[in-house]
Amino acid sequence: PKAKACTLVPTMDAIRSGFFNLKNIKLVMEQSLIRTRATLSVGDTVTTWHRGVEFSLTVESVTPAEFAAVSCINTDMEVEIGANAEYEAHQQQQQQQSQEIKPESSTLLSGGKILGGNGYKLSDTKSNNEKSETTANPAVAEEETTELLSLKPEPLADQTENICTIQIRGDKGSGRRRFDIQKSTVEDIFTFARTMTSAHRFQLVTRFPRSVISESNNPIVKLFAQGSQEVLMVEKL
């Protein structure tokens, strides 16, 4: 069958060679596949070159998927760049390590008070009771619940018009949600993203090509098309 779409995953060698820094890679790959290949099968390795550097990608999926192989002749094929599982695991590990290394060192004094760190310091003027009240602030404890409650309801499962699927990846994990691109705004995406990160200030970025998304009230349709599946990474500011 004629190809409609395919998903290509960059190899670790391609990523190390700077694959993420290439511009318009999806367009380049679409034109390259149509010009240079007659067929495409799941598991194939596709190679492209840029300024003498080789970049290899593995075919993860094709559409139609019935035979796990498609024809690239006289067709208009859309290329999606998939996530490399090894690279994503490495990124998650680095984020976790950076969070674990940050706590300040502390010294326990003979009186049981802590000098340094987040404990009670000699220069503190607030009592321990006052600190406990601040730490137990209900507004802080319920912040994540509030974010979830402020989200517009997710479109019904049988709705197919004006739908795109967005996956958010942050330091607290990842989540996927469907949005109505006409009714929902970029601010709604950020509201959902706040449940995936501990950062108070952040931006969202696409992977290929890299572009930065800032919070706004613009409808999602100005960014993403119907039926698209997007992966957005949380970057702390």
Side-chain angles (χ1 to χ4, degrees), residues 179-196:
F179 289 88
D180 186 317
I181 59 175
Q182 295 287 355
K183 296 180 180 180
S184 296
T185 66
V186 177
E187 185 177 7
D188 293 323
I189 300 177
F190 272 77
T191 299
F192 179 52
R194 287 188 178 92
T195 65
M196 303 297 160

Side-chain angles (χ1 to χ4, degrees), residues 5-11 29 33 37 40-46 56-70 77-88 167 169 176 207-208 229 231:
C6 70
T7 300
L8 306 178
V9 177
T11 62
M29 293 306 303
L33 291 174
R37 297 185 68 98
L40 199 64
S41 301
V42 173
D44 282 356
T45 298
V46 177
S56 297
L57 301 92
T58 302
V59 180
E60 183 179 61
S61 65
V62 294
T63 303
E66 182 179 0
F67 301 104
V70 291
M77 175 169 45
E78 181 178 352
V79 172
E80 290 294 333
I81 305 298
N84 181 299
E86 182 180 352
Y87 175 74
E88 296 295 334
Q167 182 178 5
R169 295 182 179 176
R176 187 188 303 269
R207 297 178 302 168
F208 311 108
Q229 297 189 18
V231 177

Side-chain angles (χ1 to χ4, degrees), residues 19 31 81 141 166 182 199:
F19 180 82
Q31 295 175 346
I81 305 298
I166 297 177
Q182 295 287 355

Side-chain angles (χ1 to χ4, degrees), residues 20 44 76 85 111 148 164 173:
F20 288 168
D44 282 356
D76 184 13
L148 287 171
C164 77

